[in-house]
Amino acid sequence: MPRAKYGIDAPPVLFGLASAVVFLVAATVVTAALAGWAAVWPGLIGLYFAASASLYLHTTTRGKFAVWRKVLDGLSLRGDERALDLGCGRGAVLIAMARRLPSGHATGVDLWRSVDQSGNSPAVTEANAAAEGVHVDLDTADMTSLPYPDESFDLVVSSMAIHNIHPAAGRLTAIDEALRVLRPGGRLVIADISATKAYAAHLDALGISAITRPLGWRMWWGGPWLPTALVTAVRP
C-alpha cells in the first residue's frame, strides 16, 4: 500500500521563510568578506529565519498531527457519529477522525486550492484515505454555503481553514453554516489562528457558550507570534 502524503500548509509562507534564510546566508558571507564583524547582524537574522522555518516545517509535518490526535481523543467519541471536516485539504484531520468512527461516517468539504495546501485535490485525499484504510466522502463546496440539510452531523471540525475566507464577514457565515448542519447537542471544534476570538464572540452572541484555549508550540506557525487556538462549542 502507498503511504499517505499530507503536503505542506500554505507553501508560499514556507517558501518565503526559506528564501529569506538563503538571502541572509549570502549576505552574511559577502559582509564577512567585506566588513568582517559586521557580518554578525545578517548572520543573527538568518538564524532567526532558519529557526522560524524549522518550526513552521515541524508544525505542518508533525506537530499538527500530534495536537489533533490529542484533541480528537479528548472528544471521547462513541464511534457512530456523522462528522464533517470544513476545509479538509489532503485529509490529515478528516482521516484521523474517520479512524475513530468505525460505525459512523466522516465527510470532508474543500475548494481544493493549492495555495492553502500543496498538491490539494480530491484525488490526493481519496488516495490518502485508501492508504490509511478508511472510507470518507468528499465534496467540493464553499464553507459559507454547505450542500447539506439542516442537522446532518453530530460533529463539525475545521483546522486552519476558516481564516482563508475573505472578507471577514464570510468567516462568521461559515460558523453559521456549521451550526446549521449540526444536530442539537452536536459539537463544533475549530483550530485556527488570528480569527478565533471573533469566532468565539460570534458564538457567544448567538447564546452558545464557546471555550477557547491555545494549542501550544506544536502548532506555532513559525513562532509564538502566530499560534493556533482551539474553539469548541455545543449546539443547544
Side-chain angles (χ1 to χ4, degrees):
M1 290 292 291
R3 296 183 62 184
K5 299 177 181 179
Y6 293 106
I8 300 295
D9 292 274
V13 176
L14 184 59
F15 177 79
L17 291 170
S19 297
V21 173
V22 173
F23 172 80
L24 287 161
V25 167
T28 300
V29 172
V30 172
T31 306
L34 297 177
W37 282 102
V40 71
W41 298 112
L44 288 174
I45 298 171
L47 286 173
Y48 163 83
F49 277 100
S52 186
S54 297
L55 187 54
Y56 190 101
L57 188 62
H58 169 81
T59 294
T60 195
T61 59
R62 299 187 64 180
K64 69 179 183 182
F65 294 91
V67 169
W68 268 103
R69 183 163 55 246
K70 190 172 181 179
V71 169
L72 293 173
D73 286 346
L75 295 176
S76 299
L77 297 173
R78 298 184 309 271
D80 62 351
E81 290 90 349
R82 291 183 57 83
L84 174 66
D85 184 359
L86 302 177
C88 65
R90 293 170 65 151
V93 177
L94 176 66
I95 291 168
M97 194 163 55
R99 288 198 202 98
R100 292 162 170 80
L101 304 174
S103 57
H105 193 72
T107 299
V109 62
D110 206 300
L111 290 175
W112 316 107
R113 303 193 318 167
S114 291
V115 69
D116 298 327
Q117 191 169 56
S118 62
N120 194 14
S121 75
V124 169
T125 308
E126 288 174 356
N128 283 343
E132 299 283 4
V134 299
H135 173 74
V136 299
D137 280 340
L138 301 175
D139 292 308
T140 300
D142 192 320
M143 288 182 279
T144 64
S145 183
L146 294 172
Y148 310 113
D150 295 355
E151 302 180 5
S152 299
F153 297 96
D154 303 291
L155 172 65
V156 175
V157 306
S158 183
S159 181
M160 302 299 299
I162 297 177
H163 74 271
N164 291 315
I165 299 173
H166 298 284
R171 299 169 199 153
L172 303 185
T173 300
I175 301 296
D176 292 337
E177 278 291 275
L179 292 172
R180 179 183 67 78
V181 301
L182 267 178
R183 293 171 180 157
R187 288 180 283 183
L188 178 64
V189 181
I190 301 171
D192 215 334
I193 45 175
S194 56
T196 50
K197 290 183 179 178
Y199 307 158
H202 184 64
L203 290 166
D204 288 339
L206 295 173
I208 301 173
S209 178
I211 298 172
T212 305
R213 64 180 177 87
L215 287 174
W217 71 272
R218 287 183 177 275
M219 285 191 77
W220 285 353
W221 298 92
W225 50 87
L226 197 57
T228 307
L230 190 74
V231 179
T232 58
V234 177
R235 179 182 169 179

